[in-house]
Amino acid sequence: MAQIRFAKPRPPLNVADGVNLMQALLAGGLPVASSCKGDGVCAKCRIEIVDGHRNLSPQNEREVFLRERHEVPKNQRISCQTTVHGDITVTTSYW
C-alpha cells in the first residue's frame, strides 16, 4: 500500500502499489488535466512531485518524448505514464 499526500490541505489517498498516478487521482475525485484522456499524447496531466520521486516508476520512452517535446520541468511527471510504488507528495496549480 502506498499513500499519495498533497502539498495543499487535503486528505491523503491510499493506493495499491503499482497503480497509475493519473487513474489513482481521478478515482480519488481529483481533477487531472488531459485532452487525450490518458493516452500519452498531450502531456497536460503533468503533476508536480514535491516529495517521493524515488517511489515512482522510471520514465518510459513515451514520457521522455513528451517531456522533451513539451519542455516539462524536472520536478513534474506525466501522470498517465507514471506508476506509484511508495509514498509521494504531489501538487498542481489547479487544485
Side-chain angles (χ1 to χ4, degrees):
M1 213 48 165
Q3 196 170 70
I4 300 175
R5 295 183 183 100
F6 302 94
K8 298 174 184 166
R10 168 181 313 274
L13 294 176
N14 293 314
V15 299
D17 183 54
V19 70
N20 176 276
L21 179 55
M22 180 181 191
Q23 292 172 1
L25 294 170
L26 291 171
L30 293 161
V32 177
S34 176
S35 59
C36 72
K37 299 184 180 172
D39 287 336
V41 177
C42 72
K44 291 180 180 176
C45 66
R46 62 186 77 171
I47 301 291
E48 182 180 342
I49 309 302
V50 178
D51 187 40
H53 297 270
R54 67 194 172 285
N55 293 327
L56 298 172
S57 58
Q59 294 179 43
N60 62 26
E61 202 172 299
R62 164 88 42 203
E63 184 175 9
V64 170
F65 169 77
L66 290 169
R67 292 176 66 79
E68 290 172 359
R69 182 172 184 198
H70 297 280
E71 299 179 358
V72 176
K74 290 183 180 186
N75 66 334
Q76 296 180 2
R77 293 291 303 266
I78 308 298
S79 67
C80 71
Q81 299 298 305
T82 305
T83 56
V84 180
H85 299 282
D87 296 349
I88 60 172
T89 303
V90 300
T91 193
T92 67
S93 61
Y94 51 87
W95 290 338

